[in-house]
Amino acid sequence: MKYTVLFLSLFFLFSCGSEKAKEIPVTYFEASGFTKTPDFTNTLEYCRILDQSSDLIQMTVIGKSYLGKDIPLLMASASGFDPAKSKDKTVILIEACIHAGEPDGKDAGLMLFRDFATNPAWENVLKNITVLFIPVINVDGHERFGPYNRINQNGPDSMGWRTNAQNLNLNRDFINAETPEIQAFIKLFNQWDPDFFIDCHTTDGADYQYAITYGMETAGDMDSALTHWQKEVYLPYIETEMQKAGYLIFPYVMFRNWHDPRSGLLSYASNPMLSQGYTAQRNCPGLLIETHMLKDYKTRVFSTYEMIKNTISLLDGEGKSLKDMRKNAFLFSGDSLALDFDSNGDSTMVDFLGVEYSSEKSDLTQGLWFKYDNTRKATFNLPYFNVLVPSVTASVPDAYVIPAAWKIVAEKLRLHGVKVDEINENTKYKVTRYVFSDVVFRPTPYEGKQRVESFTMKEVIDSVIYPAGSFYVNARQPLLRVIMHMLEPKAPASLLNFGYFNVIFEQKEYTESYVMETMAREMLKKDTVLAAEFKEKMKDPSFASNSYGILNWFYSKSPYWDKNLNVYPVGKLYK
Ligand SMILES: [Zn+2]
């Protein structure tokens, strides 16, 4: 059934000073009595209606999904839609349906854009602010539309699916940018360099009173002025405004024990595989909105609407100073950068607005059965472990040098907008490289990758000849944070951590045991230091009982050994 036929009688009268003035129907969500979300076809149709109804709104396409469908973008502005001519304006980017089963942000955004077109009060705001809105970034996931996609969630009636057509979770792909959907996002990001980002979700987890829990990067993983602005300006404002609007909000936290708020609350820094963790590394404050899965769909969409609307209102006044802070943040000149964070164990007591619950032994599973009673509100005074300190820090080199054979790394850097130079002739650089040992892989795949669970690394300084066609990445450029998160192995979502360098851990040549039996004896005869080392090694029973391991150890001490095994190919150059 065509949506316009279904809800033809419900219109907003257009009253802005637009040439294109037309009647605009209410959104599918509103017309459904706040219980349904439109499928992708109906979503696009409403986007087109908005585009045709107001000069303040334009619809375009940012790229294609894996299955080749257009990913739509709605833009709202009173001064045109050219990013090159919008440098002085504050740009807000809103993303919805990255998890297409969580469509709250899509319906909130469509209502907001309808209001841009119909409420003249917005026209002045849109002179200062450009709003970019991706109603559905995960188009293929959204097309897997049905009532059984979100088992825990209280509506809407039908919704899309969490992953894209490749079964990849797009909200783990921001720094890797493997999927066409996230590549399209990054292209858009590079064009507009947004000043503020909002990603709309619905959370799983325990029951509590809050309509929304929110994430913002305030752990120290952003420039200090931007961190301060988020903590002291943005968050106090948004908390007050949301309270005035009748919605309770709280930081997005983990409970120390799953499902059990009384166990205490943990905060954490989001790494750049996640949307707002990624924009944070591009000096763009990102707000993660997580509506609560058990609240009715109307409450979830309207609270999302309210949070976005209030954010835009604040940025109408704060945009200029935010832009200045962002400019400064890109000039980072420190010698080291913190890449990961952990709680230092300090906590403060906070009131958490929960609901009464009990846990009892399940006679079905013998496990714990949490029973929440949302008719009985309860305030828990809880320890909140919200002091985070750096757990991984890396020194900032003058440049990173990437061998020609690792072109894939250079291409990934370029995709994010990093300036990468190519070396025209064989060049010798004295570089610091990492050498790995004790490498442990995760036993199960993660987003289709075999990730590295843990490793030990040490630094060695070598003179290395990089062949023509290798890549030189000046570290002192605006996207330094992105570069280091990708290239520093210990960064939580580094390319090494995600398995892109796994081949460096594979031994490709082997010794035949009968060849090595002879050679090992000669080596022991010639080299007394080696002989002493061998004697020491043999005290380790696991070594002494592994005959091939012993021969491979002699191989590793011979000149035939692969000098590149377990060595990070990317070098750090300090002038
Ligand atoms: Zn989500």
Side-chain angles (χ1 to χ4, degrees):
M1 195 185 309
K2 290 286 277 186
Y3 149 67
T4 42
V5 175
L6 183 58
F7 301 115
L8 200 60
S9 58
L10 301 158
F11 287 99
F12 267 73
L13 281 176
F14 191 86
S15 53
C16 269
S18 163
E19 300 288 309
K20 295 199 253 177
K22 279 184 188 170
E23 288 175 323
I24 303 180
V26 296
T27 67
Y28 189 100
F29 157 73
E30 291 164 303
S32 74
F34 314 107
T35 58
K36 291 185 168 70
T37 194
D39 63 15
F40 186 61
T41 305
N42 277 321
T43 303
L44 278 186
E45 193 179 331
Y46 197 74
C47 291
R48 281 191 207 105
I49 291 170
L50 291 171
D51 173 74
Q52 287 159 15
S53 302
S54 169
D55 288 338
L56 297 174
I57 294 174
Q58 198 173 93
M59 181 189 177
T60 184
V61 167
I62 63 167
K64 288 194 186 294
S65 71
Y66 189 80
L67 296 181
K69 295 208 166 169
D70 287 344
I71 304 170
L73 175 76
L74 282 173
M75 302 181 281
S77 165
S79 56
F81 303 98
D82 180 355
K85 291 179 185 162
S86 305
K87 300 283 179 214
D88 296 333
K89 292 187 64 175
T90 305
V91 178
I92 303 173
L93 172 59
I94 305 160
E95 172 190 88
C97 289
I98 191 166
H99 296 148
E102 306 161 18
D104 314 23
K106 176 188 66 177
D107 287 314
L110 292 177
M111 286 199 301
L112 184 66
F113 268 66
R114 186 269 322 284
D115 292 350
F116 289 159
T118 54
N119 180 349
W122 279 109
E123 194 167 346
N124 261 338
V125 176
L126 293 174
K127 283 178 185 156
N128 303 322
I129 291 190
T130 296
V131 184
L132 308 175
F133 172 47
I134 309 169
V136 179
I137 187 165
N138 180 8
V139 173
D140 297 338
H142 201 286
E143 286 288 54
R144 189 173 161 181
F145 203 70
Y148 301 114
N149 287 341
R150 290 279 290 167
I151 189 169
N152 304 314
Q153 193 170 292
N154 181 12
D157 286 8
S158 285
M159 70 283 282
W161 182 253
R162 184 174 181 82
T163 60
N164 79 346
Q166 300 161 279
N167 205 31
L168 292 173
N169 182 345
L170 298 180
N171 201 23
R172 303 294 181 270
D173 190 41
F174 279 84
I175 194 100
N176 292 338
E178 288 245 310
T179 59
E181 292 87 355
I182 297 304
Q183 288 174 7
F185 176 96
I186 287 167
K187 204 173 117 205
L188 177 77
F189 205 95
N190 292 347
Q191 277 170 353
W192 285 90
D193 187 26
D195 301 297
F196 198 96
F197 169 71
I198 301 176
D199 194 11
C200 304
H201 292 254
T202 305
T203 194
D204 288 317
D207 197 3
Y208 43 70
Q209 295 177 45
Y210 302 102
I212 284 178
T213 50
Y214 62 84
M216 275 206 115
E217 296 315 300
T218 55
D221 51 341
M222 283 187 82
D223 164 77
S224 57
L226 288 170
T227 303
H228 183 264
W229 180 83
Q230 292 177 89
K231 278 165 100 165
E232 306 302 330
V233 178
Y234 179 79
L235 288 175
Y237 165 86
I238 204 77
E239 274 160 16
T240 308
E241 293 305 311
M242 290 298 282
Q243 203 167 20
K244 276 193 222 160
Y247 296 109
L248 297 169
I249 65 171
F250 195 77
Y252 189 51
V253 287
M254 288 189 298
F255 303 121
R256 286 208 289 171
N257 299 328
W258 191 242
H259 287 170
D260 189 359
R262 286 190 190 98
S263 64
L265 310 171
L266 295 173
S267 81
Y268 57 93
S270 293
N271 74 56
M273 72 177 179
L274 301 159
S275 61
Q276 89 281 6
Y278 173 73
T279 68
Q281 299 315 316
R282 298 192 63 161
N283 299 315
C284 170
L287 173 72
L288 172 75
I289 296 179
E290 292 275 0
T291 60
H292 186 237
M293 65 185 191
L294 296 176
K295 305 297 180 281
D296 62 77
Y297 193 51
K298 182 180 181 183
T299 303
R300 281 161 37 209
V301 174
F302 276 85
S303 56
T304 301
Y305 176 99
E306 206 59 40
M307 198 132 176
I308 297 173
K309 185 194 83 179
N310 285 310
T311 299
I312 295 172
S313 297
L314 176 74
L315 292 172
D316 189 22
E318 282 286 320
K320 170 82 176 72
S321 60
L322 176 60
K323 282 185 99 69
D324 288 345
M325 276 182 264
R326 293 191 66 234
K327 263 184 209 153
N328 278 332
F330 283 112
L331 303 174
F332 177 80
S333 61
D335 293 333
S336 66
L337 190 66
L339 297 167
D340 204 4
F341 299 81
D342 256 339
S343 163
N344 71 350
D346 289 350
S347 63
T348 43
M349 296 305 286
V350 292
D351 282 341
F352 182 81
L353 304 179
V355 298
E356 284 297 349
Y357 66 98
S358 59
S359 61
E360 58 189 63
K361 191 174 175 185
S362 160
D363 56 359
L364 184 69
T365 67
Q366 312 308 312
L368 274 185
W369 181 5
F370 281 83
K371 290 182 168 178
Y372 299 97
D373 179 357
N374 63 17
T375 62
R376 289 164 63 216
K377 292 177 179 172
T379 300
F380 304 120
N381 193 243
L382 300 174
Y384 182 20
F385 295 85
N386 60 348
V387 184
L388 299 181
V389 291
S391 56
V392 172
T393 300
S395 68
V396 181
D398 292 295
Y400 288 93
V401 192
I402 303 166
W406 289 91
K407 194 174 175 181
I408 180 181
V409 174
E411 282 168 354
K412 278 194 181 293
L413 288 164
R414 280 180 175 149
L415 197 138
H416 290 279
V418 172
K419 187 173 176 296
V420 177
D421 296 320
E422 208 163 314
I423 300 166
N424 295 324
E425 53 190 24
N426 294 358
T427 310
K428 190 192 265 188
Y429 290 110
K430 195 176 171 196
V431 291
T432 303
R433 294 194 297 177
Y434 299 118
V435 179
F436 303 101
S437 55
D438 310 318
V439 180
V440 178
F441 298 96
R442 288 201 191 187
T444 51
Y446 185 89
E447 297 304 320
K449 296 273 183 294
Q450 187 188 18
R451 288 185 73 174
V452 181
E453 177 86 44
S454 62
F455 55 84
T456 309
M457 70 182 196
K458 64 175 185 183
E459 292 184 352
V460 292
I461 299 172
D462 280 323
S463 285
V464 180
I465 294 170
Y466 287 85
S470 294
F471 304 95
Y472 185 97
V473 185
N474 185 348
R476 297 296 176 184
Q477 57 173 303
L479 293 183
L480 168 68
R481 287 172 178 273
V482 173
I483 297 168
M484 290 190 70
H485 269 280
M486 291 173 83
L487 298 186
E488 286 297 330
K490 292 260 182 184
S494 69
L495 293 174
L496 183 123
N497 181 305
F498 257 96
Y500 286 96
F501 286 99
N502 280 357
V503 286
I504 70 169
F505 304 122
E506 296 177 31
Q507 186 180 338
K508 299 293 193 181
E509 279 284 356
Y510 291 88
T511 174
E512 292 299 345
S513 56
Y514 62 91
V515 172
M516 206 65 229
E517 286 278 2
T518 311
M519 197 184 285
R521 282 168 178 75
E522 285 165 10
M523 288 167 73
L524 283 172
K525 241 184 263 170
K526 276 189 207 156
D527 187 340
T528 52
V529 178
L530 181 81
E533 197 182 339
F534 178 60
K535 203 173 163 192
E536 200 55 37
K537 284 288 284 182
M538 288 299 279
K539 290 177 184 165
D540 173 1
S542 67
F543 180 78
S545 61
N546 179 353
S547 59
Y548 191 82
I550 293 169
L551 295 176
N552 205 45
W553 182 81
F554 279 103
Y555 179 24
S556 78
K557 301 291 178 186
S558 81
Y560 293 95
W561 188 248
D562 178 7
K563 297 289 179 290
N564 292 330
L565 184 65
N566 298 319
V567 177
Y568 195 44
V570 178
K572 293 175 79 170
L573 189 64
Y574 299 87
K575 283 176 186 160

